[in-house]
Amino acid sequence: MFAEINKEAFSVLPFVLNTVGQSPDQRPINHPAGINYHEFIWVKHGCGNFTVDGNSFTLTADEGVFIRRGIPHSYEGEELHTAWFTFSMEERALDFLSVPRYLRFNVPDFLNSENDALEKFSNGDSTVLSRSSAGYSYVTELFSALLPPPDSPDVLIRHYLESHYSSPVTLDEIARHVGMTR
């Protein structure tokens, strides 16, 4: 497991990798007030009962959840093997990407091998800046794989017209809806 010890970095850098690792025998976790970092956690083997933001669900192998900082959560399971990483990043960056408070996901093919590589890199001869850079690349790749691409303006316009076909619409209304000028 890797844990960042340079605490000053959290107040200076826009992205900081906080921890990365895995727990072959995951102990029960309960964070009623959430944690100070954003977290990706997924099940490598076994089955776990998760409660995030008041919603309970079960995750099995190759399923995971992203949890934003400060979101209440707990999890437990027998013979539960998890992998995770936590990081610090501006909330507004996640808002910009339309990342919800928590996000369940199926583990992309690259996740386990890249997490292992990131842990090895972080425990090796790296600096807080190189870890932050590598972690940011990793997180952006993961969010790109998990989040649907935003609708293009032409799709937004078509949806607006389809949902308002029975009423008169103006070019100004359409422009406001898609966030464009007339």
Side-chain angles (χ1 to χ4, degrees), residues 122-139:
S122 297
N123 282 319
D125 191 23
S126 63
T127 65
V128 66
L129 192 56
S130 65
R131 289 186 298 274
S132 293
S133 177
Y136 182 76
S137 293
Y138 182 41
V139 165

Side-chain angles (χ1 to χ4, degrees), residues 139-177:
V139 165
T140 56
E141 179 183 11
L142 186 50
F143 277 134
S144 293
L146 298 179
L147 297 173
D151 287 334
S152 62
D154 61 318
V155 170
L156 292 172
I157 292 168
R158 188 178 75 240
H159 286 198
Y160 185 80
L161 291 173
E162 288 172 352
S163 64
H164 293 85
Y165 73 90
S166 63
S167 58
V169 294
T170 67
L171 190 54
D172 289 329
E173 290 171 332
I174 296 169
R176 268 193 308 276
H177 176 74

Side-chain angles (χ1 to χ4, degrees), residues 1-4 7 10 15-22 31 35-42 65-69 73 75 83-89 115 118 122 131-132 135-136 138-139 142:
M1 181 185 119
F2 165 80
E4 183 61 65
K7 299 305 177 197
F10 292 99
F15 180 96
V16 178
L17 182 66
N18 182 39
T19 63
V20 59
Q22 56 183 300
H31 295 294
I35 59 175
N36 291 330
Y37 308 103
H38 307 296
E39 176 181 23
F40 274 97
I41 182 166
W42 61 98
V65 63
F66 167 75
I67 308 164
R68 281 181 126 173
R69 108 173 92 225
H73 63 279
Y75 43 90
W84 79 91
F85 67 94
T86 62
F87 60 96
S88 174
M89 180 181 199
N115 206 64
L118 186 60
S122 297
R131 289 186 298 274
S132 293
Y136 182 76
Y138 182 41
V139 165
L142 186 50

Side-chain angles (χ1 to χ4, degrees), residues 72-121:
H73 63 279
S74 62
Y75 43 90
E76 64 182 359
E78 290 189 32
E79 298 182 26
L80 179 62
H81 181 166
T82 61
W84 79 91
F85 67 94
T86 62
F87 60 96
S88 174
M89 180 181 199
E90 286 289 327
E91 293 288 332
R92 61 189 174 151
L94 297 174
D95 291 341
F96 176 77
L97 296 171
S98 300
V99 177
R101 292 170 58 87
Y102 75 93
L103 173 69
R104 290 180 59 183
F105 61 89
N106 292 319
V107 172
D109 292 337
F110 64 85
L111 188 57
N112 286 310
S113 61
E114 294 226 2
N115 206 64
D116 292 346
L118 186 60
E119 182 179 7
K120 184 176 180 182
F121 172 76

